[in-house]
């Protein structure tokens, strides 16, 4: 596996923990992959839903997600486990940027336009708010560490910091390594050799924080690709238009195992 594939696997591990937690805490879900979902036929046959889905736009350019009141559920069990391929090169970053823009659009819509998520799924609302401020708080860390390291070069009598600069830097590195590795334990348990990529994942975290801010400032940039996606369920299929990563991922069928659907980029 390339470093890009390992980074993607790390992100997927953390995401699986997040969606499993939200599902069991308040039954909510911030986002569900359309490739690993099953949908009720009645949803796709509902003219009101189809009209709302195909006429719901983000800033008049790209269709936004439309939950339409249907419940979601994630099956977190061995029987529903699926394998996935990752981008083996730097194009993984472009994929993450597209996903990040989609997340901003979906979260802002849910929190400040629809707003029912605050009462229906308060834990999911909390995680969405946390993701809004996370880039800023993450980037503040190195700034504060740099400031303390500078203060440590000044004598304490003149208002300097009492710890040496190497102590501050080492403490920060140990804290980052411990907290980031803890999140990756499910993956490292099965692939312990990937622990050498943890430093790269830490650096990627800071890059991702900057990317999230950039994505927020470029939400107007969209690429729309329409195609026909046919239901893979064991009842009469129905084809409907879907749009680049913004399909009916929030309309999962709880009673069936997750079924992989075609992936289009």
């Amino acid at each position: 596996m390339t470093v890009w594939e390992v980074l993607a696997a790390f992100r997927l591990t953390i995401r699986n923990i997040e969606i499993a937690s939200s599902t069991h805490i308040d039954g909510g879900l911030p986002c569900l992959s359309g490739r690993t979902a099953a949908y009720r036929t009645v949803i796709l046959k509902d003219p009101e839903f189809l009209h709302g889905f195909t006429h719901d736009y983000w800033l008049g350019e790209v269709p936004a997600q439309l939950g339409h009141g249907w419940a979601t559920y994630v099956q977190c069990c061995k029987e529903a486990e699926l394998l996935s391929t990752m981008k083996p090169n730097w194009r993984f970053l472009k994929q993450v940027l597209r996903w990040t823009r989609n997340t901003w659009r979906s979260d802002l819509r849910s929190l400040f336009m629809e707003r029912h998520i605050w009462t229906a799924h308060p834990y999911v609302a909390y995680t969405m708010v946390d993701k809004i401020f996370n880039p800023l708080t993450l980037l503040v860390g190195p700034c504060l560490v740099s400031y303390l390291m500078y203060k440590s070069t000044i004598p304490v009598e003149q208002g300097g910091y009492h710890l040496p600069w190497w102590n501050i830097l080492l403490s920060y590195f140990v804290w980052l390594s411990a907290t980031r590795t803890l999140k990756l334990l499910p993956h490292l348990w099965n692939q312990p050799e990937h622990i050498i990529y943890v430093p790269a994942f830490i650096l990627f975290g800071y890059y991702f924080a900057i990317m999230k801010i950039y994505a927020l400032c470029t939400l107007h940039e969209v690429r729309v690709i329409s195609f026909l996606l046919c239901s893979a369920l064991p009842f009469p299929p129905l084809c409907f238009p879907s749009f680049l990563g913004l399909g009916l991922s929030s309309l999962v069928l709880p009673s069936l195992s997750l079924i992989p659907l075609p992936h289009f980029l």
Side-chain angles (χ1 to χ4, degrees):
M1 295 179 66
T2 66
V3 62
W4 306 107
E5 292 174 298
V6 175
L7 291 177
F10 282 168
R11 280 174 49 86
L12 188 59
T13 296
I14 296 176
R15 171 176 166 75
N16 287 340
I17 295 175
E18 292 175 347
I19 62 177
S21 301
S22 62
T23 296
H24 291 287
I25 290 176
D26 65 5
L29 197 65
C31 181
L32 182 64
S33 172
R35 291 181 293 165
T36 58
Y39 315 110
R40 291 189 182 277
T41 305
V42 64
I43 299 174
L44 307 182
K45 289 184 176 181
D46 183 359
E48 182 183 355
F49 167 78
L50 290 178
H51 180 272
F53 177 73
T54 56
H55 293 78
D56 191 23
Y57 294 90
W58 171 264
L59 298 180
E61 296 185 39
V62 61
Q65 287 180 326
L66 184 65
H68 206 67
W70 290 90
T72 62
Y73 192 82
V74 175
Q75 292 180 302
C76 305
C77 58
K78 197 70 176 178
E79 293 76 13
E81 186 176 281
L82 296 174
L83 300 180
S84 179
T85 57
M86 313 293 183
K87 291 287 185 182
N89 50 42
W90 65 271
R91 295 181 68 85
F92 159 73
L93 299 178
K94 298 182 66 176
Q95 190 178 45
V96 172
L97 177 60
R98 175 169 59 84
W99 290 340
T100 304
R101 287 197 181 109
N102 290 345
T103 299
W104 274 118
R105 295 177 185 126
S106 176
D107 289 359
L108 293 176
R109 175 189 177 93
S110 298
L111 290 172
F112 304 113
M113 297 177 65
E114 297 174 347
R115 295 192 298 275
H116 66 267
I117 193 172
W118 293 98
T119 54
H121 307 291
Y123 177 76
V124 176
Y126 161 76
T127 60
M128 288 181 176
V129 173
D130 178 70
K131 285 188 292 184
I132 291 177
F133 294 101
N134 180 262
L136 298 177
T137 57
L138 184 61
L139 294 175
V140 164
C143 296
L144 292 178
V145 169
S146 299
Y147 175 72
L148 288 179
M149 291 175 62
Y150 163 73
K151 293 284 288 185
S152 68
T153 61
I154 303 175
V156 178
E157 296 78 11
Q158 300 178 18
Y161 198 62
H162 66 283
L163 293 177
W165 67 268
W166 60 266
N167 192 311
I168 300 171
L169 185 61
L170 180 62
S171 300
Y172 186 57
F173 178 76
V174 171
W175 170 256
L176 284 178
S177 300
T179 54
R180 297 304 185 270
T181 304
L182 184 63
K183 292 182 178 181
L184 303 175
L185 284 182
H187 178 91
L188 296 176
W189 180 265
N190 297 313
Q191 303 286 342
E193 67 275 12
H194 288 170
I195 195 170
I196 63 174
Y197 294 104
V198 171
F201 182 70
I202 294 175
L203 293 177
F204 172 77
Y206 290 103
Y207 172 83
F208 181 61
I210 298 173
M211 177 189 288
K212 288 190 69 173
I213 297 175
Y214 172 77
L216 177 62
C217 297
T218 57
L219 290 182
H220 60 283
E221 296 185 14
V222 296
R223 289 180 58 199
V224 181
I225 299 178
S226 61
F227 53 86
L228 290 180
L229 178 61
C230 297
S231 171
L233 302 182
F235 29 75
L238 175 67
C239 293
F240 61 95
S242 185
F243 302 86
L244 193 61
L246 293 175
L248 307 181
S249 59
S250 60
L251 311 173
V252 66
L253 178 62
S255 59
L256 294 180
S257 297
L258 299 183
I259 299 175
L261 298 179
H263 178 42
F264 298 87
L265 291 177

